[in-house]
Amino acid sequence: MTSSGKLMSLMVGVLTALAFLLIWEVAVRALGVAAYLLPPPSTIAADLAKNWPRVISSSWLTTGNMVLGFLLSVAVGIPLAMMLAYSPFFERSVYPSIVFLQIVPKIAIAPLFIIWFGFGMMPKVLLVFLLTFFPIVINAVVGFKSVDPGIMELARSTGASGLRTFLKIRFPSALPSIFTGLKVAAALASTAAVVAEFVASDNGLGYLIVTYNGQLMTSMVFATIIVLGLIGLAFYYLIELLERLLLPWHVFALAEQTKQA
């Protein structure tokens, strides 16, 4: 997509969002909907501005938990994916346990984390880790297994060592799939952080949502959700930017495929 096409898409997106907010504002006021049920966007913006210091301080706490849990997922998930991809025995013995952990509702595990680790940072980071871990592992395994056998045979015929083959062929070939998993995990990270704060926290954006909801401050519930969504969106696009910097050839190939389609 050309730069003018991207600008046009951005403008269309912004105008669509503004039109939606305008319709929301007019409809709520025209129908006389109570503010505690559905506040107009102007009220949400005003209340957010009034309570901004508290929201921004909570945002830093939530973002910190989100990033730490995500980084822990990367640090554990990618090496584990390598072992799953290259060891059939390890895959048969460990993979079912990983799938089981993914199936178990994470909010059901949160009370155990409170018992074991208290109300500090640890239970929240671990819950983010559990929710973001699976997509990273699965996509990394797919990437490590999808290397062209012909290329690997050629590398072995030239006498390349196992380490050199991994660094020059296997790992670079797996990076597109790895980044797919990272982007999925980044999209889940904010959800994981706020779910953890619903259950196991006395601070953060999740705690604010519960507090404001209990006080029937619906406008601040909306405002906090919007801030949380913006944080998650920024985190996702940060991973996408990193992909563009590290894998420009892959991003270009995807753009060409989209253009041809």
Side-chain angles (χ1 to χ4, degrees):
M1 185 181 293
T2 63
S3 57
S4 60
K6 291 180 180 178
L7 181 60
M8 181 62 68
S9 297
L10 179 62
M11 289 178 61
V12 170
V14 171
L15 290 175
T16 301
L18 291 176
F20 172 75
L21 292 175
L22 180 61
I23 293 170
W24 179 357
E25 181 83 22
V26 172
V28 168
R29 294 190 180 279
L31 297 174
V33 180
Y36 71 89
L37 291 176
L38 183 63
S42 58
T43 301
I44 295 172
D47 287 349
L48 177 59
K50 189 187 307 180
N51 295 279
W52 181 249
R54 186 181 185 188
V55 173
I56 196 65
S57 63
S58 298
S59 299
W60 284 115
L61 294 170
T62 300
T63 303
N65 296 329
M66 188 173 76
V67 172
L68 287 175
F70 178 83
L71 292 177
L72 182 61
S73 293
V74 174
V76 175
I78 294 178
L80 180 60
M82 291 167 52
M83 291 186 283
L84 290 170
Y86 301 137
S87 172
F89 172 77
F90 190 79
E91 182 177 13
R92 287 193 302 269
S93 58
V94 174
Y95 190 74
S97 299
I98 295 174
V99 174
F100 175 77
L101 284 176
Q102 175 62 18
I103 294 172
V104 172
K106 307 305 179 295
I107 197 168
I109 302 176
L112 291 176
F113 287 166
I114 298 174
I115 294 172
W116 295 337
F117 305 109
F119 283 87
M121 180 185 294
M122 183 65 73
K124 289 170 278 189
V125 170
L126 286 177
L127 204 55
V128 174
F129 165 76
L130 286 178
L131 272 169
T132 56
F133 171 75
F134 193 71
I136 292 175
V137 172
I138 294 302
N139 283 277
V141 168
V142 171
F144 286 126
K145 285 186 173 183
S146 62
V147 181
D148 188 344
I151 296 177
M152 294 302 301
E153 186 64 31
L154 178 62
R156 282 192 289 267
S157 67
T158 61
S161 65
L163 178 60
R164 185 174 180 81
T165 300
F166 174 78
L167 293 176
K168 296 294 184 179
I169 299 176
R170 286 190 181 276
F171 189 68
S173 298
L175 279 176
S177 290
I178 290 174
F179 267 100
T180 299
L182 292 179
K183 288 189 288 187
V184 173
L188 291 172
S190 59
T191 302
V194 78
V195 167
E197 290 169 354
F198 281 161
V199 181
S201 183
D202 55 359
N203 52 43
L205 292 178
Y207 175 75
L208 279 189
I209 291 173
V210 173
T211 301
Y212 288 136
N213 188 63
Q215 297 170 352
L216 289 181
M217 296 178 64
T218 311
S219 61
M220 283 308 300
V221 173
F222 272 96
T224 308
I225 291 172
I226 291 169
V227 171
L228 181 66
L230 291 175
I231 292 171
L233 194 64
F235 191 45
Y236 176 86
Y237 280 112
L238 180 63
I239 301 299
E240 190 171 79
L241 175 62
L242 186 61
E243 180 186 27
R244 290 179 178 274
L245 294 175
L246 295 179
L247 307 175
W249 53 269
H250 175 63
V251 175
F252 177 78
L254 289 178
E256 288 297 314
Q257 291 176 6
T258 304
K259 188 186 301 183
Q260 292 173 5

